[in-house]
Amino acid sequence: MEAMMVLVFDTGNGTKQTKVFTEHPLGMRYAYKMPIVINKIRAGSQAERLHVQPGWVLHSVGDELLQGMNSSQVTKLLRASTATLRKCMVVHKAPLKAMSVAKLSARLEKIERAEVVPYLKGYGFVVQSSHSWRDCITQPVFRLLLDSHVKYKEKPQTWYVILGEITAADGSSTQQWHVERRLTHIRTLIHDPVKDELSGEYDLYFGSSRFARHGGPPGTSLRLAAWFAALSVAINVQAVSPARVASILSFLEAPSLEQTAGQTREESKPTALLQEQTVKHTFEESEPIGAAALNAIGIRQ
């Protein structure tokens, strides 16, 4: 029988909601203070699928009421309760020895043009060649989101936590993973090549979702979130070549279907976290993205 964890929430309107989790990470963010108030739900997580809402207060874990506990006791209880749950995501920690673009490029898998077709097949994509998609074929749905940004003691630069998601063409399975990259990595190894390839058509997909400015000024996270959403649309409508998609998957260290057969694994977790600031998944402060574009990648308005 699959391991599970029962959480009961106080919804704030006098009612309680019981949710049964079978996957870890749960997909909820909250401050480590009592009471435990959910402040963010990660897109694509089991918490989102179970319709857990920001603002709900955690009331109990299994048969354990949280009333009278302190935050350390609750954290210990949650860790013990989630230990047996199925791991549902590959997590790549920041490659702190690959700070520069050159060093990161050297550690990533190089996909030659002759290898593009079999490489993408490993993710469920069916393509004609490195530059041509197969006609009349339903392809997997790709989604890229900005989850948060972090800093480490060893290297004080900002690393952006990217959530990748690929849903099988028939909708039967979804694989997710986290990877951490610096802004200069994203700009040089994803943004610039995509812009060069699309050339005059770039503004058609990214005209209202401008890339982050140099130096990471305030608003960088919102710009990146909007740009990733637009990139997801461009990939899903096959505006980006198979070769470029293969390069992007390599940059993101996406786990193939073979790697995640049966269930995915949690590869590693950031252990030297110094600071983490969550990103609100809202575009109110950024330039607007069309409703059709948002719907195409499954972002609810």
Side-chain angles (χ1 to χ4, degrees):
M1 182 177 178
E2 187 174 32
M4 61 182 64
M5 179 180 68
V6 179
L7 298 182
V8 178
F9 298 90
D10 185 340
T11 64
N13 61 5
T15 63
K16 290 182 173 58
Q17 287 278 342
T18 300
K19 303 294 182 181
V20 179
F21 287 82
T22 58
E23 299 176 358
H24 178 67
L26 306 177
M28 303 182 295
R29 291 191 183 277
Y30 50 87
Y32 288 94
K33 61 181 181 180
M34 300 301 291
I36 301 296
V37 181
I38 308 304
N39 57 41
K40 178 188 172 186
I41 303 299
R42 179 170 51 74
S45 67
Q46 188 171 36
E48 182 187 59
R49 298 195 299 274
L50 292 174
H51 306 293
V52 178
Q53 300 299 314
W56 284 9
V57 177
L58 187 58
H59 177 266
S60 62
V61 178
D63 296 327
E64 298 282 343
L65 294 176
L66 304 191
Q67 185 175 4
M69 291 187 182
N70 59 39
S71 59
S72 295
Q73 291 172 319
V74 174
T75 299
K76 184 177 180 179
L77 175 60
L78 285 171
R79 285 176 178 171
S81 301
T82 58
T84 59
L85 299 184
R86 175 167 52 91
K87 302 296 188 297
C88 65
M89 185 182 299
V90 175
V91 179
H92 298 288
K93 64 182 294 186
L96 298 179
K97 294 183 179 180
M99 299 292 290
S100 70
V101 170
K103 287 184 177 180
L104 180 65
S105 297
R107 75 186 295 273
L108 296 176
E109 183 179 3
K110 300 295 187 297
I111 313 299
E112 302 295 337
R113 289 196 172 275
E115 301 171 332
V116 169
V117 173
Y119 180 81
L120 289 181
K121 185 177 180 180
Y123 297 92
F125 292 98
V126 181
V127 302
Q128 189 73 38
S129 66
S130 63
H131 61 273
S132 176
W133 293 90
R134 184 73 66 86
D135 292 335
C136 303
I137 294 291
T138 301
Q139 303 285 0
V141 176
F142 176 84
R143 185 162 73 153
L144 204 59
L145 297 165
L146 185 65
D147 187 68
S148 60
H149 59 272
V150 299
K151 291 186 178 182
Y152 292 89
K153 280 184 177 179
E154 301 95 320
K155 303 288 183 180
Q157 292 85 353
T158 299
W159 292 82
Y160 292 91
V161 183
I162 305 168
L163 170 64
E165 180 180 285
I166 299 177
T167 301
D170 61 2
S172 61
S173 64
T174 297
Q175 60 185 45
Q176 296 179 320
W177 71 98
H178 267 182
V179 66
E180 298 177 15
R181 294 289 184 260
R182 295 182 60 206
L183 181 59
T184 186
H185 297 152
I186 303 168
R187 181 188 305 279
T188 305
L189 299 176
I190 295 188
H191 168 268
D192 291 355
V194 167
K195 187 173 183 179
D196 288 343
E197 179 176 285
L198 291 179
S199 187
E201 294 186 354
Y202 179 81
D203 282 348
L204 179 63
Y205 300 97
F206 298 93
S208 61
S209 306
R210 297 301 182 186
F211 194 73
R213 298 186 177 95
H214 287 276
T220 294
S221 293
L222 288 173
R223 278 177 168 259
L224 276 179
W227 194 84
F228 283 153
L231 176 62
S232 301
V233 172
I235 289 174
N236 289 330
V237 300
Q238 302 177 11
V240 181
S241 72
R244 183 54 49 204
V245 172
S247 177
I248 291 170
L249 291 175
S250 173
F251 172 85
L252 296 170
E253 297 184 83
S256 68
L257 296 176
E258 182 177 312
Q259 287 176 289
T260 56
Q263 65 180 36
T264 58
R265 58 188 172 85
E266 187 168 339
E267 179 180 277
S268 59
K269 290 183 179 180
T271 57
L273 192 61
L274 176 65
Q275 175 181 334
E276 179 170 329
Q277 300 176 359
T278 60
V279 176
K280 295 179 180 178
H281 287 295
T282 174
F283 302 96
E284 293 175 354
E285 300 177 36
S286 63
E287 296 169 309
I289 301 175
L294 290 174
N295 290 334
I297 57 171
I299 296 179
R300 300 181 181 87
Q301 301 187 84

